[in-house]
Amino acid sequence: MSQTPAESVLLSDDPPLDLRLSPVELDAARERITSFIADVVDDAGADGAVLGLSGGIDSTLSAYLAAEALGEDRLHGITMPAEVNDPDVMSDAERVAHDLGIAYDVVEIQPIAERFFEAFPEAAADRTATGNVYVRTRAVLNYFVANAENRVVLGTGNRAEAMTGYFTKYGDQAVDCNPIGNLYKQQVRQLAAHVGVPRDLVMQEPTAGMWEGQTDAAEMGLDYDTVDAIVAVHVDGGLSRSATVRELGVPAEAVDRVVELHEGSAHKRSMPPAPEP
């Protein structure tokens, strides 16, 4: 599918694999996801949905699709900044809520997180542990509001994150459903542009906001176009390691890194184990 440079959602001029959908496929994905959201809410007998708004493209696309599926009056957005978050990104979250016309609240979670750090100061120097406190605090607040308002909690995770474990266990994946969970990151950006998300949000540098200056690419060691390609061809597609290297033109080390992330995060994609009866 040809696109002008201004329309491209690719992160580089020559990505390992072009996973973009055709216009017909984009419309079908939009219809499938909005119908899915509406069905999940209706099947739960809920009055609507709660969605954590981070300002990132995943939560932004999820919000756009949820507002379309449910109507703006049935979607409640919650923005939960901490001191490690970029103020500009958090203001983007409020901008999304305003653009969609949905009700939203801003809840400062730093005081809540600090109580955890004070309760167990020995762990407060561990950057990953403290980052996960922020993410899990947001999950608790999402469900607190959802329970009080008879709503479901919508997740915002995509396929690339799910298959590499790039999420916090019982944190950002503590949700009732993942509407965009079958989309690779490249497709998330493409569908977002398709439904009218402003381009500066579509192409924003992805970050989980777990600590100051944190980015997804730096933590994974690979950009999302490369992760998407390896997940699609090797993890999901079953192509061998050597064939993946040849087909995608990526270093073998990149394939190994994605496999390491995938295998090391298997526990995140399954129920907690128990002994056989």
mmCIF file of all heavy atoms in Angstrom, residues 16-67:
data_model
loop_
_atom_site.group_PDB
_atom_site.id
_atom_site.type_symbol
_atom_site.label_atom_id
_atom_site.label_comp_id
_atom_site.label_asym_id
_atom_site.label_seq_id
_atom_site.Cartn_x
_atom_site.Cartn_y
_atom_site.Cartn_z
ATOM 1 N N PRO A 16 11.951 -3.595 8.732
ATOM 2 C CA PRO A 16 12.139 -5.000 8.369
ATOM 3 C C PRO A 16 10.916 -5.629 7.710
ATOM 4 O O PRO A 16 11.038 -6.517 6.872
ATOM 5 C CB PRO A 16 12.434 -5.681 9.709
ATOM 6 C CG PRO A 16 12.918 -4.592 10.597
ATOM 7 C CD PRO A 16 12.184 -3.362 10.162
ATOM 8 N N LEU A 17 9.719 -5.160 8.077
ATOM 9 C CA LEU A 17 8.492 -5.732 7.544
ATOM 10 C C LEU A 17 7.391 -4.681 7.575
ATOM 11 O O LEU A 17 7.218 -3.996 8.580
ATOM 12 C CB LEU A 17 8.075 -6.944 8.387
ATOM 13 C CG LEU A 17 6.871 -7.759 7.911
ATOM 14 C CD1 LEU A 17 7.176 -8.418 6.573
ATOM 15 C CD2 LEU A 17 6.493 -8.813 8.949
ATOM 16 N N ASP A 18 6.656 -4.569 6.479
ATOM 17 C CA ASP A 18 5.532 -3.641 6.406
ATOM 18 C C ASP A 18 4.270 -4.400 6.792
ATOM 19 O O ASP A 18 3.767 -5.235 6.036
ATOM 20 C CB ASP A 18 5.406 -3.083 4.990
ATOM 21 C CG ASP A 18 4.405 -1.937 4.899
ATOM 22 O OD1 ASP A 18 3.549 -1.825 5.804
ATOM 23 O OD2 ASP A 18 4.472 -1.169 3.919
ATOM 24 N N LEU A 19 3.752 -4.126 7.993
ATOM 25 C CA LEU A 19 2.578 -4.811 8.516
ATOM 26 C C LEU A 19 1.310 -3.973 8.386
ATOM 27 O O LEU A 19 0.267 -4.339 8.928
ATOM 28 C CB LEU A 19 2.801 -5.165 9.999
ATOM 29 C CG LEU A 19 3.795 -6.289 10.269
ATOM 30 C CD1 LEU A 19 4.229 -6.259 11.734
ATOM 31 C CD2 LEU A 19 3.177 -7.638 9.936
ATOM 32 N N ARG A 20 1.384 -2.871 7.659
ATOM 33 C CA ARG A 20 0.234 -1.991 7.547
ATOM 34 C C ARG A 20 -0.938 -2.676 6.843
ATOM 35 O O ARG A 20 -0.747 -3.503 5.949
ATOM 36 C CB ARG A 20 0.622 -0.709 6.811
ATOM 37 C CG ARG A 20 1.507 0.219 7.637
ATOM 38 C CD ARG A 20 1.982 1.404 6.821
ATOM 39 N NE ARG A 20 2.865 0.979 5.744
ATOM 40 C CZ ARG A 20 3.386 1.817 4.843
ATOM 41 N NH1 ARG A 20 3.099 3.120 4.899
ATOM 42 N NH2 ARG A 20 4.187 1.369 3.886
ATOM 43 N N LEU A 21 -2.123 -2.330 7.278
ATOM 44 C CA LEU A 21 -3.347 -2.916 6.749
ATOM 45 C C LEU A 21 -3.848 -2.130 5.535
ATOM 46 O O LEU A 21 -3.542 -0.940 5.383
ATOM 47 C CB LEU A 21 -4.426 -2.919 7.834
ATOM 48 C CG LEU A 21 -4.060 -3.628 9.145
ATOM 49 C CD1 LEU A 21 -5.119 -3.353 10.207
ATOM 50 C CD2 LEU A 21 -3.896 -5.122 8.933
ATOM 51 N N SER A 22 -4.624 -2.788 4.694
ATOM 52 C CA SER A 22 -5.256 -2.097 3.567
ATOM 53 C C SER A 22 -6.401 -1.238 4.100
ATOM 54 O O SER A 22 -6.869 -1.427 5.227
ATOM 55 C CB SER A 22 -5.791 -3.116 2.569
ATOM 56 O OG SER A 22 -6.928 -3.784 3.116
ATOM 57 N N PRO A 23 -6.897 -0.297 3.309
ATOM 58 C CA PRO A 23 -8.046 0.503 3.765
ATOM 59 C C PRO A 23 -9.236 -0.350 4.162
ATOM 60 O O PRO A 23 -9.921 -0.055 5.152
ATOM 61 C CB PRO A 23 -8.350 1.378 2.542
ATOM 62 C CG PRO A 23 -7.035 1.533 1.856
ATOM 63 C CD PRO A 23 -6.354 0.207 2.024
ATOM 64 N N VAL A 24 -9.513 -1.409 3.410
ATOM 65 C CA VAL A 24 -10.624 -2.297 3.760
ATOM 66 C C VAL A 24 -10.360 -2.989 5.090
ATOM 67 O O VAL A 24 -11.258 -3.111 5.936
ATOM 68 C CB VAL A 24 -10.847 -3.342 2.639
ATOM 69 C CG1 VAL A 24 -11.859 -4.403 3.088
ATOM 70 C CG2 VAL A 24 -11.328 -2.668 1.361
ATOM 71 N N GLU A 25 -9.124 -3.429 5.301
ATOM 72 C CA GLU A 25 -8.770 -4.103 6.553
ATOM 73 C C GLU A 25 -8.830 -3.138 7.739
ATOM 74 O O GLU A 25 -9.216 -3.533 8.843
ATOM 75 C CB GLU A 25 -7.372 -4.715 6.441
ATOM 76 C CG GLU A 25 -7.311 -5.907 5.504
ATOM 77 C CD GLU A 25 -5.902 -6.371 5.221
ATOM 78 O OE1 GLU A 25 -4.981 -5.512 5.173
ATOM 79 O OE2 GLU A 25 -5.699 -7.582 5.034
ATOM 80 N N LEU A 26 -8.470 -1.891 7.499
ATOM 81 C CA LEU A 26 -8.548 -0.888 8.563
ATOM 82 C C LEU A 26 -9.989 -0.675 9.005
ATOM 83 O O LEU A 26 -10.295 -0.626 10.201
ATOM 84 C CB LEU A 26 -7.949 0.440 8.096
ATOM 85 C CG LEU A 26 -6.434 0.574 8.105
ATOM 86 C CD1 LEU A 26 -6.022 1.869 7.412
ATOM 87 C CD2 LEU A 26 -5.880 0.529 9.516
ATOM 88 N N ASP A 27 -10.880 -0.553 8.032
ATOM 89 C CA ASP A 27 -12.292 -0.379 8.372
ATOM 90 C C ASP A 27 -12.829 -1.601 9.109
ATOM 91 O O ASP A 27 -13.621 -1.467 10.056
ATOM 92 C CB ASP A 27 -13.111 -0.137 7.101
ATOM 93 C CG ASP A 27 -12.907 1.258 6.513
ATOM 94 O OD1 ASP A 27 -12.552 2.170 7.288
ATOM 95 O OD2 ASP A 27 -13.106 1.425 5.293
ATOM 96 N N ALA A 28 -12.405 -2.787 8.677
ATOM 97 C CA ALA A 28 -12.860 -4.019 9.332
ATOM 98 C C ALA A 28 -12.339 -4.091 10.761
ATOM 99 O O ALA A 28 -13.061 -4.504 11.673
ATOM 100 C CB ALA A 28 -12.405 -5.240 8.535
ATOM 101 N N ALA A 29 -11.076 -3.698 10.967
ATOM 102 C CA ALA A 29 -10.501 -3.710 12.314
ATOM 103 C C ALA A 29 -11.232 -2.732 13.216
ATOM 104 O O ALA A 29 -11.523 -3.040 14.381
ATOM 105 C CB ALA A 29 -9.013 -3.366 12.253
ATOM 106 N N ARG A 30 -11.540 -1.575 12.694
ATOM 107 C CA ARG A 30 -12.276 -0.570 13.465
ATOM 108 C C ARG A 30 -13.634 -1.101 13.898
ATOM 109 O O ARG A 30 -14.029 -0.986 15.062
ATOM 110 C CB ARG A 30 -12.439 0.684 12.620
ATOM 111 C CG ARG A 30 -13.152 1.840 13.300
ATOM 112 C CD ARG A 30 -13.218 3.024 12.356
ATOM 113 N NE ARG A 30 -13.643 4.256 13.003
ATOM 114 C CZ ARG A 30 -13.558 5.465 12.427
ATOM 115 N NH1 ARG A 30 -13.061 5.582 11.199
ATOM 116 N NH2 ARG A 30 -13.953 6.546 13.077
ATOM 117 N N GLU A 31 -14.359 -1.714 12.960
ATOM 118 C CA GLU A 31 -15.677 -2.268 13.257
ATOM 119 C C GLU A 31 -15.579 -3.425 14.249
ATOM 120 O O GLU A 31 -16.379 -3.535 15.173
ATOM 121 C CB GLU A 31 -16.342 -2.731 11.960
ATOM 122 C CG GLU A 31 -17.634 -3.501 12.144
ATOM 123 C CD GLU A 31 -18.717 -2.693 12.846
ATOM 124 O OE1 GLU A 31 -18.713 -1.453 12.718
ATOM 125 O OE2 GLU A 31 -19.567 -3.309 13.525
ATOM 126 N N ARG A 32 -14.588 -4.274 14.053
ATOM 127 C CA ARG A 32 -14.421 -5.438 14.931
ATOM 128 C C ARG A 32 -14.127 -5.003 16.363
ATOM 129 O O ARG A 32 -14.697 -5.541 17.317
ATOM 130 C CB ARG A 32 -13.294 -6.320 14.400
ATOM 131 C CG ARG A 32 -13.089 -7.615 15.169
ATOM 132 C CD ARG A 32 -12.120 -8.531 14.440
ATOM 133 N NE ARG A 32 -10.792 -7.938 14.276
ATOM 134 C CZ ARG A 32 -10.290 -7.506 13.122
ATOM 135 N NH1 ARG A 32 -11.013 -7.583 12.008
ATOM 136 N NH2 ARG A 32 -9.077 -6.997 13.059
ATOM 137 N N ILE A 33 -13.258 -4.021 16.524
ATOM 138 C CA ILE A 33 -12.861 -3.590 17.865
ATOM 139 C C ILE A 33 -13.985 -2.840 18.566
ATOM 140 O O ILE A 33 -14.256 -3.066 19.750
ATOM 141 C CB ILE A 33 -11.578 -2.731 17.803
ATOM 142 C CG1 ILE A 33 -10.403 -3.590 17.316
ATOM 143 C CG2 ILE A 33 -11.271 -2.124 19.167
ATOM 144 C CD1 ILE A 33 -9.154 -2.796 16.986
ATOM 145 N N THR A 34 -14.662 -1.944 17.855
ATOM 146 C CA THR A 34 -15.758 -1.209 18.499
ATOM 147 C C THR A 34 -16.896 -2.152 18.885
ATOM 148 O O THR A 34 -17.498 -1.998 19.953
ATOM 149 C CB THR A 34 -16.277 -0.079 17.589
ATOM 150 O OG1 THR A 34 -16.601 -0.605 16.301
ATOM 151 C CG2 THR A 34 -15.221 1.022 17.436
ATOM 152 N N SER A 35 -17.180 -3.132 18.032
ATOM 153 C CA SER A 35 -18.213 -4.121 18.372
ATOM 154 C C SER A 35 -17.794 -4.949 19.574
ATOM 155 O O SER A 35 -18.616 -5.266 20.454
ATOM 156 C CB SER A 35 -18.485 -5.038 17.176
ATOM 157 O OG SER A 35 -19.035 -4.322 16.092
ATOM 158 N N PHE A 36 -16.515 -5.300 19.624
ATOM 159 C CA PHE A 36 -15.983 -6.063 20.752
ATOM 160 C C PHE A 36 -16.157 -5.299 22.058
ATOM 161 O O PHE A 36 -16.615 -5.853 23.066
ATOM 162 C CB PHE A 36 -14.500 -6.366 20.505
ATOM 163 C CG PHE A 36 -13.769 -6.949 21.677
ATOM 164 C CD1 PHE A 36 -13.852 -8.305 21.960
ATOM 165 C CD2 PHE A 36 -12.988 -6.144 22.499
ATOM 166 C CE1 PHE A 36 -13.174 -8.852 23.042
ATOM 167 C CE2 PHE A 36 -12.312 -6.674 23.583
ATOM 168 C CZ PHE A 36 -12.413 -8.030 23.860
ATOM 169 N N ILE A 37 -15.808 -4.016 22.066
ATOM 170 C CA ILE A 37 -15.938 -3.200 23.280
ATOM 171 C C ILE A 37 -17.397 -3.137 23.726
ATOM 172 O O ILE A 37 -17.710 -3.338 24.908
ATOM 173 C CB ILE A 37 -15.382 -1.781 23.040
ATOM 174 C CG1 ILE A 37 -13.878 -1.827 22.800
ATOM 175 C CG2 ILE A 37 -15.708 -0.867 24.230
ATOM 176 C CD1 ILE A 37 -13.287 -0.504 22.313
ATOM 177 N N ALA A 38 -18.283 -2.876 22.797
ATOM 178 C CA ALA A 38 -19.706 -2.788 23.134
ATOM 179 C C ALA A 38 -20.218 -4.111 23.692
ATOM 180 O O ALA A 38 -20.981 -4.135 24.672
ATOM 181 C CB ALA A 38 -20.508 -2.386 21.907
ATOM 182 N N ASP A 39 -19.786 -5.229 23.094
ATOM 183 C CA ASP A 39 -20.230 -6.542 23.556
ATOM 184 C C ASP A 39 -19.716 -6.858 24.953
ATOM 185 O O ASP A 39 -20.445 -7.416 25.785
ATOM 186 C CB ASP A 39 -19.758 -7.629 22.580
ATOM 187 C CG ASP A 39 -20.519 -7.608 21.263
ATOM 188 O OD1 ASP A 39 -21.580 -6.956 21.204
ATOM 189 O OD2 ASP A 39 -20.031 -8.235 20.301
ATOM 190 N N VAL A 40 -18.444 -6.518 25.229
ATOM 191 C CA VAL A 40 -17.872 -6.775 26.552
ATOM 192 C C VAL A 40 -18.655 -6.019 27.631
ATOM 193 O O VAL A 40 -18.992 -6.574 28.681
ATOM 194 C CB VAL A 40 -16.377 -6.384 26.593
ATOM 195 C CG1 VAL A 40 -15.861 -6.327 28.032
ATOM 196 C CG2 VAL A 40 -15.549 -7.370 25.785
ATOM 197 N N VAL A 41 -18.961 -4.764 27.367
ATOM 198 C CA VAL A 41 -19.709 -3.954 28.334
ATOM 199 C C VAL A 41 -21.125 -4.500 28.515
ATOM 200 O O VAL A 41 -21.615 -4.655 29.643
ATOM 201 C CB VAL A 41 -19.739 -2.479 27.888
ATOM 202 C CG1 VAL A 41 -20.678 -1.664 28.780
ATOM 203 C CG2 VAL A 41 -18.335 -1.877 27.924
ATOM 204 N N ASP A 42 -21.774 -4.815 27.414
ATOM 205 C CA ASP A 42 -23.144 -5.331 27.499
ATOM 206 C C ASP A 42 -23.190 -6.690 28.194
ATOM 207 O O ASP A 42 -24.073 -6.939 29.034
ATOM 208 C CB ASP A 42 -23.755 -5.441 26.100
ATOM 209 C CG ASP A 42 -24.051 -4.087 25.478
ATOM 210 O OD1 ASP A 42 -24.056 -3.083 26.227
ATOM 211 O OD2 ASP A 42 -24.256 -4.031 24.254
ATOM 212 N N ASP A 43 -22.254 -7.579 27.856
ATOM 213 C CA ASP A 43 -22.235 -8.913 28.451
ATOM 214 C C ASP A 43 -21.986 -8.860 29.956
ATOM 215 O O ASP A 43 -22.443 -9.739 30.701
ATOM 216 C CB ASP A 43 -21.171 -9.789 27.785
ATOM 217 C CG ASP A 43 -21.535 -10.155 26.355
ATOM 218 O OD1 ASP A 43 -22.698 -9.952 25.958
ATOM 219 O OD2 ASP A 43 -20.639 -10.631 25.618
ATOM 220 N N ALA A 44 -21.263 -7.828 30.397
ATOM 221 C CA ALA A 44 -20.980 -7.675 31.819
ATOM 222 C C ALA A 44 -22.134 -7.008 32.558
ATOM 223 O O ALA A 44 -22.102 -6.910 33.795
ATOM 224 C CB ALA A 44 -19.701 -6.861 32.019
ATOM 225 N N GLY A 45 -23.143 -6.550 31.833
ATOM 226 C CA GLY A 45 -24.230 -5.808 32.458
ATOM 227 C C GLY A 45 -23.750 -4.498 33.054
ATOM 228 O O GLY A 45 -24.318 -3.999 34.036
ATOM 229 N N ALA A 46 -22.692 -3.934 32.458
ATOM 230 C CA ALA A 46 -22.080 -2.714 32.995
ATOM 231 C C ALA A 46 -22.707 -1.473 32.377
ATOM 232 O O ALA A 46 -23.346 -1.528 31.317
ATOM 233 C CB ALA A 46 -20.573 -2.725 32.733
ATOM 234 N N ASP A 47 -22.501 -0.362 33.043
ATOM 235 C CA ASP A 47 -23.031 0.908 32.566
ATOM 236 C C ASP A 47 -22.068 1.632 31.634
ATOM 237 O O ASP A 47 -22.426 2.660 31.048
ATOM 238 C CB ASP A 47 -23.352 1.832 33.750
ATOM 239 C CG ASP A 47 -24.486 1.280 34.603
ATOM 240 O OD1 ASP A 47 -25.377 0.620 34.047
ATOM 241 O OD2 ASP A 47 -24.462 1.501 35.836
ATOM 242 N N GLY A 48 -20.854 1.130 31.521
ATOM 243 C CA GLY A 48 -19.868 1.778 30.677
ATOM 244 C C GLY A 48 -18.483 1.221 30.970
ATOM 245 O O GLY A 48 -18.342 0.101 31.450
ATOM 246 N N ALA A 49 -17.467 2.030 30.672
ATOM 247 C CA ALA A 49 -16.084 1.572 30.826
ATOM 248 C C ALA A 49 -15.213 2.652 31.440
ATOM 249 O O ALA A 49 -15.498 3.850 31.339
ATOM 250 C CB ALA A 49 -15.513 1.155 29.473
ATOM 251 N N VAL A 50 -14.148 2.191 32.072
ATOM 252 C CA VAL A 50 -13.089 3.052 32.621
ATOM 253 C C VAL A 50 -11.822 2.787 31.818
ATOM 254 O O VAL A 50 -11.520 1.635 31.480
ATOM 255 C CB VAL A 50 -12.841 2.752 34.109
ATOM 256 C CG1 VAL A 50 -11.562 3.421 34.597
ATOM 257 C CG2 VAL A 50 -14.017 3.227 34.942
ATOM 258 N N LEU A 51 -11.092 3.831 31.533
ATOM 259 C CA LEU A 51 -9.858 3.705 30.758
ATOM 260 C C LEU A 51 -8.801 4.628 31.327
ATOM 261 O O LEU A 51 -9.052 5.820 31.525
ATOM 262 C CB LEU A 51 -10.124 4.069 29.290
ATOM 263 C CG LEU A 51 -8.939 4.045 28.342
ATOM 264 C CD1 LEU A 51 -8.498 2.601 28.088
ATOM 265 C CD2 LEU A 51 -9.305 4.706 27.007
ATOM 266 N N GLY A 52 -7.626 4.091 31.610
ATOM 267 C CA GLY A 52 -6.513 4.915 32.039
ATOM 268 C C GLY A 52 -5.926 5.658 30.852
ATOM 269 O O GLY A 52 -5.546 5.034 29.850
ATOM 270 N N LEU A 53 -5.863 6.973 30.935
ATOM 271 C CA LEU A 53 -5.326 7.803 29.859
ATOM 272 C C LEU A 53 -3.901 8.211 30.188
ATOM 273 O O LEU A 53 -3.666 8.935 31.157
ATOM 274 C CB LEU A 53 -6.191 9.051 29.672
ATOM 275 C CG LEU A 53 -7.614 8.829 29.160
ATOM 276 C CD1 LEU A 53 -8.395 10.139 29.223
ATOM 277 C CD2 LEU A 53 -7.593 8.298 27.732
ATOM 278 N N SER A 54 -2.946 7.748 29.379
ATOM 279 C CA SER A 54 -1.541 8.044 29.638
ATOM 280 C C SER A 54 -0.985 9.120 28.727
ATOM 281 O O SER A 54 0.079 9.676 28.987
ATOM 282 C CB SER A 54 -0.706 6.772 29.459
ATOM 283 O OG SER A 54 -0.672 6.396 28.087
ATOM 284 N N GLY A 55 -1.678 9.401 27.619
ATOM 285 C CA GLY A 55 -1.139 10.314 26.616
ATOM 286 C C GLY A 55 -0.403 9.585 25.520
ATOM 287 O O GLY A 55 -0.047 10.184 24.502
ATOM 288 N N GLY A 56 -0.140 8.277 25.710
ATOM 289 C CA GLY A 56 0.522 7.470 24.695
ATOM 290 C C GLY A 56 -0.459 7.009 23.629
ATOM 291 O O GLY A 56 -1.676 7.091 23.791
ATOM 292 N N ILE A 57 0.078 6.475 22.533
ATOM 293 C CA ILE A 57 -0.760 6.132 21.399
ATOM 294 C C ILE A 57 -1.687 4.959 21.688
ATOM 295 O O ILE A 57 -2.816 4.911 21.177
ATOM 296 C CB ILE A 57 0.102 5.854 20.139
ATOM 297 C CG1 ILE A 57 -0.797 5.717 18.898
ATOM 298 C CG2 ILE A 57 0.975 4.621 20.327
ATOM 299 C CD1 ILE A 57 -1.698 6.887 18.659
ATOM 300 N N ASP A 58 -1.276 3.994 22.503
ATOM 301 C CA ASP A 58 -2.133 2.845 22.779
ATOM 302 C C ASP A 58 -3.386 3.259 23.540
ATOM 303 O O ASP A 58 -4.502 2.871 23.175
ATOM 304 C CB ASP A 58 -1.361 1.779 23.574
ATOM 305 C CG ASP A 58 -0.221 1.180 22.783
ATOM 306 O OD1 ASP A 58 -0.432 0.827 21.610
ATOM 307 O OD2 ASP A 58 0.887 1.062 23.331
ATOM 308 N N SER A 59 -3.222 4.025 24.597
ATOM 309 C CA SER A 59 -4.390 4.456 25.366
ATOM 310 C C SER A 59 -5.217 5.455 24.570
ATOM 311 O O SER A 59 -6.448 5.489 24.680
ATOM 312 C CB SER A 59 -3.980 5.048 26.718
ATOM 313 O OG SER A 59 -3.471 6.352 26.601
ATOM 314 N N THR A 60 -4.570 6.255 23.742
ATOM 315 C CA THR A 60 -5.301 7.226 22.934
ATOM 316 C C THR A 60 -6.184 6.526 21.908
ATOM 317 O O THR A 60 -7.374 6.848 21.766
ATOM 318 C CB THR A 60 -4.319 8.181 22.228
ATOM 319 O OG1 THR A 60 -3.609 8.941 23.218
ATOM 320 C CG2 THR A 60 -5.056 9.135 21.303
ATOM 321 N N LEU A 61 -5.617 5.547 21.169
ATOM 322 C CA LEU A 61 -6.430 4.803 20.207
ATOM 323 C C LEU A 61 -7.557 4.065 20.919
ATOM 324 O O LEU A 61 -8.712 4.066 20.451
ATOM 325 C CB LEU A 61 -5.570 3.812 19.429
ATOM 326 C CG LEU A 61 -6.335 2.866 18.494
ATOM 327 C CD1 LEU A 61 -7.131 3.644 17.451
ATOM 328 C CD2 LEU A 61 -5.396 1.865 17.840
ATOM 329 N N SER A 62 -7.257 3.444 22.057
ATOM 330 C CA SER A 62 -8.291 2.727 22.808
ATOM 331 C C SER A 62 -9.414 3.668 23.208
ATOM 332 O O SER A 62 -10.599 3.308 23.158
ATOM 333 C CB SER A 62 -7.678 2.069 24.044
ATOM 334 O OG SER A 62 -6.685 1.122 23.679
ATOM 335 N N ALA A 63 -9.063 4.887 23.612
ATOM 336 C CA ALA A 63 -10.075 5.865 24.009
ATOM 337 C C ALA A 63 -10.940 6.275 22.820
ATOM 338 O O ALA A 63 -12.164 6.382 22.934
ATOM 339 C CB ALA A 63 -9.411 7.089 24.625
ATOM 340 N N TYR A 64 -10.320 6.524 21.674
ATOM 341 C CA TYR A 64 -11.077 6.906 20.483
ATOM 342 C C TYR A 64 -12.068 5.810 20.094
ATOM 343 O O TYR A 64 -13.240 6.091 19.775
ATOM 344 C CB TYR A 64 -10.127 7.178 19.314
ATOM 345 C CG TYR A 64 -9.681 8.624 19.185
ATOM 346 C CD1 TYR A 64 -8.848 9.203 20.150
ATOM 347 C CD2 TYR A 64 -10.072 9.403 18.110
ATOM 348 C CE1 TYR A 64 -8.424 10.519 20.033
ATOM 349 C CE2 TYR A 64 -9.652 10.727 17.974
ATOM 350 C CZ TYR A 64 -8.834 11.278 18.943
ATOM 351 O OH TYR A 64 -8.428 12.589 18.825
ATOM 352 N N LEU A 65 -11.615 4.562 20.111
ATOM 353 C CA LEU A 65 -12.479 3.454 19.715
ATOM 354 C C LEU A 65 -13.567 3.192 20.752
ATOM 355 O O LEU A 65 -14.713 2.868 20.399
ATOM 356 C CB LEU A 65 -11.638 2.197 19.486
ATOM 357 C CG LEU A 65 -10.653 2.287 18.309
ATOM 358 C CD1 LEU A 65 -9.749 1.065 18.285
ATOM 359 C CD2 LEU A 65 -11.387 2.428 16.978
ATOM 360 N N ALA A 66 -13.220 3.338 22.037
ATOM 361 C CA ALA A 66 -14.212 3.126 23.093
ATOM 362 C C ALA A 66 -15.288 4.201 23.061
ATOM 363 O O ALA A 66 -16.477 3.916 23.263
ATOM 364 C CB ALA A 66 -13.535 3.097 24.457
ATOM 365 N N ALA A 67 -14.898 5.436 22.823
ATOM 366 C CA ALA A 67 -15.885 6.517 22.732
ATOM 367 C C ALA A 67 -16.815 6.288 21.548
ATOM 368 O O ALA A 67 -18.022 6.558 21.619
ATOM 369 C CB ALA A 67 -15.180 7.865 22.595
#
